[in-house]
Amino acid sequence: MLVALKGIHKRFGSVHANRDVHLQIGAGEVLALLGENGAGKSTLMKILYGFYAPDAGEILIDGVPVRMDSPRTAMSRGIGMVFQHFSLVRELSVRENLLLAYPHSPWWQGRAHARANRVLRRLREFAPDIDPDALVSQLSVGEQQQVELVKVLNVDARLVILDEPTSVLTPPEAERLWALVRKLAEAGHSVVFITHKLEDVMACADRVAIMRAGALVDVRDANRLNEQQLVELMMGAGAHSAAIEVDAPASAVARLLVAAVSATRDVMHIEDINLELAAGEILGIAGVAGNGQALLADAVAGFAPLTAGEVILAGNVLHSAERSIAHDPRIGYIPENPLRNAVAADLSNYINLLLRRYSEVAFFPRWEREKTAARALIKRFDVRPPLAELSSGALSGGNLQKLVIARELSRPRELVVACYPTMGLDVHAAAAVYQHLFAQARAGACVLWISEDLDDLMRYAHRIAVLYHGRIVVTVDHRDADRHVLGRWMTGAAAAAA
């Protein structure tokens, strides 16, 4: 047995994140660590990685007790971890980021240097389409995730921990990752795949360990479980999601106009975007990562300057090439990558919940009342651990997403721009987000919903528009939507055949 965790306990204040966890990880196996958001999966693996110290319990490697006092110690013992939140230097190139993480890299590296070429071997194997000389800031979120994985693979870790790695990947990228994980296992590496997605388990796991409320509830061979059994083990017996209903818009009259909008940021651009949304309408934006989705969301919400066009809400110009309103209270905005774009990570949860109203609150300070309101929101949106004073940067990716959604969707909005709102969320948390998002539509809000989940877009959106290379290439009614046809538009194949 490569790694054994024995009697691991970990508390954060009054919250018991891990409760007497005993887990073994074999050499050359893929272990899926499955559980809903806040189940304690990431905390347990961060203890193994030396990021947190356990309150009790021990860690054994090759049968020998070890003290994991830092990630450096873990890496020296052959354990690497890819986090949900990236640690790349955005101003440097992919090659430079890989060299920074490579052991014993000298201060100077020419292009012909042997080590400079060695760091690219895994990149060519896993992500051959990524230009090693591209700046990280020019990469999509999915591409950045792949670079993070290559960093860990380059140090020849015996055990690779992947924390929700498919939450930011497109289906083809996820399939490539699953294949690489199996290849790593066949080469003798062990992989812990932290996930809440059942397809991750079915695609590449040998065994599955299920956590619930900080405790390990079961460990079984993956091939002896079906999806329903996994859901019941993860969520509890009899678990089911409330039915999600989407009402048709009450009116066909356009309330939101995105008129000939163009914008540019770094190497990304959107060009001549024209969209109309009626009150209560949900317009889904589909597209492969890196085609301008995040820039479109920022442009409509007022966080990216327009080079042309206008965004008009209820007859009033919100944004144009001459002016924009980034924090209009009529708009609820869930951006891509909430840790970087939606919260101040070092501030508390309750302060981050107040950010949209901080000026009015600070003028008439009633902090205890605001803390009480924040606690109610945290409970209502099931943010875990449910601590108002905890720094938001300490939350897992899924719970950070729920915190942002609590702030943006707990008040009535006229326009909601949601960029991958269920990224990193388990099936029940995602259903809860959809309930809040679609409640805004039922109350009359225009909802611009960007997602890579075609099944969900086809199930819930009234219309779907496909974004390809910064342009809207087709818009279809949900009744006419076909998964394969949309996929061809998303990859450019349909446009090339037209």
Side-chain angles (χ1 to χ4, degrees):
M1 195 57 59
L2 177 62
V3 173
L5 301 171
K6 294 188 175 182
I8 300 295
H9 286 267
K10 183 63 180 177
R11 283 183 177 271
F12 294 100
S14 60
V15 176
H16 214 152
N18 289 150
R19 306 167 181 266
D20 192 30
V21 177
H22 295 258
L23 180 64
Q24 295 184 333
I25 304 166
E29 80 162 338
V30 179
L31 175 69
L33 190 56
L34 185 69
E36 60 182 326
N37 298 116
K41 312 181 299 293
S42 295
T43 298
L44 183 66
M45 288 300 104
K46 286 178 180 178
I47 289 172
L48 175 57
Y49 187 59
F51 192 87
Y52 293 140
D55 298 330
E58 64 176 344
I59 299 171
L60 290 79
I61 297 181
D62 295 324
V64 179
V66 296
R67 182 171 176 265
M68 292 297 192
D69 54 5
S70 71
R72 182 183 294 273
T73 299
M75 286 188 287
S76 71
R77 296 184 179 278
I79 298 174
M81 184 168 182
V82 178
F83 291 90
Q84 282 182 278
H85 306 313
F86 308 143
S87 58
L88 300 171
V89 182
R90 292 173 54 79
E91 291 74 20
L92 297 182
S93 71
V94 171
R95 185 195 308 268
E96 290 164 338
N97 271 275
L98 294 178
L99 284 167
L100 279 176
Y102 201 73
H104 312 300
S105 284
W107 68 271
W108 178 84
Q109 295 280 3
R111 284 178 180 269
H113 196 286
R115 187 175 282 113
N117 288 320
R118 251 194 325 269
V119 300
L120 301 179
R121 180 172 62 88
R122 292 286 192 183
L123 185 72
R124 287 191 291 265
E125 177 184 4
F126 176 52
D129 296 332
I130 295 180
D131 180 0
D133 295 314
L135 296 179
V136 167
S137 60
Q138 298 171 349
L139 303 181
S140 70
V141 175
E143 290 169 330
Q144 292 180 41
Q145 175 75 68
Q146 295 172 54
V147 176
E148 287 280 12
L149 176 57
V150 171
K151 280 171 51 180
V152 172
L153 296 178
N154 274 346
V155 301
D156 293 324
R158 296 171 65 195
L159 170 62
V160 178
I161 304 167
L162 305 177
D163 192 1
E164 301 282 3
T166 58
S167 65
V168 293
L169 300 183
T170 64
E173 289 170 337
E175 290 173 5
R176 189 181 301 163
L177 175 62
W178 295 330
L180 179 61
V181 165
R182 291 309 318 169
K183 188 174 182 179
L184 288 171
E186 290 164 5
H189 298 273
S190 300
V191 180
V192 175
F193 205 117
I194 304 172
T195 186
H196 62 267
K197 294 184 175 182
L198 305 184
E199 57 263 36
D200 291 337
V201 179
M202 299 301 184
C204 63
D206 297 310
R207 289 192 305 148
V208 55
I210 300 100
M211 295 190 69
R212 190 166 67 240
L216 188 67
V217 297
D218 210 335
V219 181
R220 300 190 192 182
D221 290 341
N223 60 10
R224 299 180 64 181
L225 290 166
N226 59 38
E227 291 194 6
Q228 182 56 40
Q229 290 171 319
L230 286 171
V231 170
E232 290 190 356
L233 286 168
M234 185 170 70
M235 314 301 293
H240 65 279
S241 299
I244 301 174
E245 296 183 1
V246 178
D247 298 337
S251 169
V253 177
R255 185 173 180 82
L256 174 72
L257 295 175
V258 179
V261 162
S262 297
T264 300
R265 182 169 58 205
D266 298 326
V267 297
M268 189 61 63
H269 70 280
I270 54 172
E271 188 175 351
D272 196 28
I273 302 293
N274 291 278
L275 300 169
E276 295 186 2
L277 278 80
E281 184 176 16
I282 302 165
L283 175 63
I285 303 292
V288 176
N291 278 276
Q293 295 95 317
L295 180 56
L296 172 61
D298 281 350
V300 174
F303 288 89
L306 308 186
T307 56
E310 295 178 324
V311 178
I312 302 169
L313 180 64
N316 300 311
V317 177
L318 287 179
H319 320 303
S320 67
E322 289 75 34
R323 60 183 288 273
S324 65
I325 304 173
H327 294 282
D328 192 303
R330 293 173 292 179
I331 302 175
Y333 185 35
I334 303 164
E336 182 183 48
N337 195 343
L339 182 66
R340 189 176 76 235
N341 299 323
V343 300
D346 293 335
L347 298 183
S348 67
N349 289 332
Y350 94 87
I351 291 295
N352 274 295
L353 286 171
L354 286 174
L355 285 182
R356 295 289 300 270
R357 304 187 297 112
Y358 195 79
S359 58
E360 65 182 69
V361 171
F363 193 71
F364 298 106
R366 295 181 181 177
W367 300 118
E368 286 307 315
R369 185 180 71 175
E370 295 300 337
K371 282 186 181 180
T372 299
R375 292 188 186 101
L377 273 183
I378 287 170
K379 181 178 180 180
R380 176 183 164 196
F381 284 81
D382 194 29
V383 179
R384 304 180 194 177
L387 303 174
E389 292 80 9
L390 183 70
S391 295
S392 294
L395 295 176
S396 68
N399 282 288
L400 188 67
Q401 187 82 331
K402 288 191 280 187
L403 185 80
V404 174
I405 288 164
R407 184 183 67 211
E408 299 300 318
L409 300 187
S410 58
R411 290 179 165 227
R413 308 291 186 187
E414 294 183 38
L415 167 63
V416 175
V417 181
C419 194
Y420 312 119
T422 59
M423 182 178 291
L425 300 183
D426 61 61
V427 61
H428 286 268
V433 169
Y434 288 152
Q435 295 283 14
H436 293 294
L437 187 64
F438 304 152
Q440 292 280 347
R442 283 193 294 274
C446 304
V447 175
L448 185 67
W449 171 26
I450 295 171
S451 176
E452 288 173 355
D453 192 324
L454 270 182
D455 291 329
D456 280 0
L457 287 176
M458 292 171 63
R459 187 177 297 120
Y460 301 124
H462 297 116
R463 288 183 298 135
I464 301 170
V466 175
L467 190 67
Y468 180 70
H469 285 185
R471 288 178 171 269
I472 299 294
V473 292
V474 70
T475 302
V476 299
D477 187 276
H478 73 101
R479 291 166 292 191
D480 302 322
D482 177 273
R483 180 183 178 85
H484 298 290
V485 173
L486 287 172
R488 286 175 56 80
W489 282 106
M490 289 168 64
T491 59

